[in-house]
C-alpha cells in the first residue's frame, strides 16, 4: 500500500504530482505557474537534496505521493499530491500518518500556497498550526529554496 519510491520511479511520481497540481492552478500566481508543474530535473534535484518520497498504490497504480526532508532539527513535508480522481478518499491522510510514524524529529513543517485553502484545512485537521506571517517568512527562508514571490504568497504550518 505505502512504500518508499526512488529516482527509478520518477515518471510515476511526476504523473501524480502534475495531475494533482492542476487543482492548484488558480491558487498559484500566474507568474509562478508553469506546465508541467514539476519537471523531471526538478524532481531529481529534490531527491539529490535529501527528499524521500513515499507513495500510495491502489490496484498496483501509484495514486498519491508525499515526501519528507529531514534536516538537522526539523522535518519538512514535501510534495504532497493525490491524483485528482482519488482526492478526498483518505490517501493523503494515510500518507501523512505514515510519515508521522517514521519522523525522527519532533518538529514537522509544511509549506503551501496561502490560497490553497483545501491544503491548509487538510493539515489543520491533522494537528498542524498555521504560523504567524513573520515566522512563516523566517522558516521559508531558512528551510526552503523558493522565490521571494513564493514566500510572499505561502504559509507554513507546524506540528
Amino acid at each position: 500500500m505505502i512504500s518508499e519510491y526512488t529516482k527509478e520511479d520518477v515518471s510515476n511520481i511526476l504523473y501524480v504530482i502534475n495531475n494533482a497540481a492542476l487543482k492548484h492552478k488558480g491558487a498559484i500566481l500566474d507568474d509562478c505557474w508553469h506546465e508541467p508543474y514539476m519537471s523531471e530535473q526538478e524532481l531529481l534535484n529534490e531527491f539529490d537534496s535529501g527528499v524521500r518520497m513515499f507513495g500510495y498504490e491502489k490496484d498496483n497504480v501509484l495514486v498519491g505521493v508525499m515526501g519528507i526532508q529531514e534536516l538537522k532539527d526539523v522535518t519538512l513535508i514535501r510534495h504532497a499530491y493525490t491524483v485528482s480522481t482519488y482526492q478526498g478518499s483518505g490517501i493523503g491522510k494515510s500518507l501523512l500518518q505514515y510519515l508521522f510514524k517514521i519522523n525522527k524529529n519532533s518538529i514537522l513543517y509544511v509549506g503551501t500556497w496561502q490560497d490553497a485553502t483545501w491544503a491548509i484545512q487538510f493539515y489543520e485537521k491533522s494537528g498542524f498550526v498555521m504560523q504567524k506571517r513573520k515566522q512563516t517568512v523566517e522558516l521559508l527562508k531558512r528551510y526552503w529554496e523558493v522565490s521571494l514571490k513564493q514566500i510572499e504568497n505561502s504559509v507554513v504550518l507546524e506540528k
Side-chain angles (χ1 to χ4, degrees):
M1 201 186 258
I2 294 177
S3 56
E4 187 163 0
Y5 283 70
T6 66
K7 286 182 179 181
E8 287 74 41
D9 304 301
V10 161
S11 62
N12 290 330
I13 296 168
L14 283 173
Y15 172 78
V16 173
I17 290 173
N18 289 320
N19 173 280
L22 292 173
K23 182 173 185 175
H24 287 72
K25 192 171 185 176
I28 297 174
L29 301 171
D30 287 341
D31 56 349
C32 293
W33 176 261
H34 45 85
E35 289 187 41
Y37 185 65
M38 180 177 279
S39 71
E40 181 175 334
Q41 189 57 55
E42 286 172 307
L43 182 56
L44 291 172
N45 291 345
E46 292 293 279
F47 276 108
D48 291 342
S49 69
V51 174
R52 296 173 61 203
M53 295 297 294
F54 296 85
Y56 185 106
E57 283 189 16
K58 191 164 180 87
D59 300 324
N60 295 318
V61 176
L62 182 64
V63 295
V65 296
M66 192 174 290
I68 56 170
Q69 186 175 23
E70 295 170 346
L71 303 172
K72 11 179 189 179
D73 55 342
V74 302
T75 298
L76 307 179
I77 302 291
R78 304 292 309 272
H79 314 300
Y81 295 95
T82 301
V83 171
S84 58
T85 54
Y86 290 94
Q87 290 174 4
S89 66
I91 291 168
K93 182 178 179 181
S94 294
L95 283 163
L96 189 58
Q97 288 173 342
Y98 182 83
L99 296 185
F100 288 163
K101 288 179 190 169
I102 67 167
N103 178 36
K104 295 179 181 141
N105 295 312
S106 58
I107 300 174
L108 277 167
Y109 288 119
V110 62
T112 191
W113 295 95
Q114 67 187 6
D115 289 342
T117 54
W118 64 91
I120 294 168
Q121 290 169 358
F122 168 78
Y123 290 111
E124 287 176 335
K125 284 180 186 175
S126 295
F128 284 80
V129 176
M130 179 110 57
Q131 297 297 290
K132 299 212 180 298
R133 188 77 211 137
K134 181 179 178 188
Q135 182 73 2
T136 288
V137 171
E138 290 173 9
L139 291 167
L140 287 168
K141 287 181 178 179
R142 182 181 312 151
Y143 295 118
W144 281 268
E145 292 180 24
V146 293
S147 69
L148 187 57
K149 190 83 155 177
Q150 190 168 346
I151 289 172
E152 292 169 358
N153 292 279
S154 293
V155 297
V156 172
L157 296 97
E158 176 183 351
K159 181 174 171 78

